[in-house]
Amino acid sequence: MDTAEFVMAAFAVTVLSDSGTPTAQALEEMAAVIGTTKDKLREFRKNIGKGRATEDAKREHAEWRAIRRQYKDMAPADFVKIMKEKGRTLHLQKG
C-alpha cells in the first residue's frame, strides 16, 4: 500500500507543480494526504525521476501518467482532487 500512496502523491506533486503551485507547497499538501513528511515524499519523488524506484513504483507512476493523458483536458486542480480522494482511500485501507 505504501508504494501506491507514495506514487500517487508524487505524481500529484508533479501535476500541481506543472500548473504553477510551488513544489514545496505541493509536497507539503500531498504529504499530509498520505500521512508522511514532505522530505520523505521529496526523496521518493526524486528516486522515481532518476529511475531508482522499485519496479512496482515505476509501473504505478506510468499508470498515473497514462491516466493523466486520458484526462488531459481536466483542470489540474480537479485531477489532483480525485487523486487526493484515492490517496485517502489507500491510507484508510492501510489501517
Side-chain angles (χ1 to χ4, degrees):
M1 251 351 138
D2 286 343
T3 297
E5 286 181 301
F6 271 82
V7 172
M8 178 281 308
F11 190 72
V13 169
T14 299
V15 173
L16 289 168
S17 296
D18 289 350
S19 69
T21 300
T23 302
Q25 179 182 334
L27 283 164
E28 191 170 314
E29 185 177 327
M30 293 311 300
V33 169
I34 64 168
T36 193
T37 66
K38 75 177 186 178
D39 290 338
K40 285 182 183 177
L41 182 55
R42 179 185 292 118
E43 185 66 23
F44 184 86
R45 187 168 175 258
K46 183 170 69 173
N47 286 335
I48 286 178
K50 292 188 176 193
R52 295 187 300 221
T54 65
E55 291 305 313
D56 284 344
K58 291 175 188 176
R59 180 182 41 75
E60 292 260 349
H61 193 260
E63 288 176 14
W64 275 113
R65 281 194 325 262
I67 292 167
R68 182 61 182 142
R69 281 192 300 271
Q70 288 175 341
Y71 295 96
K72 66 180 180 245
D73 294 332
M74 182 183 287
D78 294 338
F79 189 77
V80 170
K81 182 178 177 183
I82 293 167
M83 294 181 81
K84 285 180 181 179
E85 288 303 314
K86 178 68 172 174
R88 287 185 187 99
T89 300
L90 290 170
H91 194 68
L92 290 173
Q93 286 175 357
K94 193 170 76 171

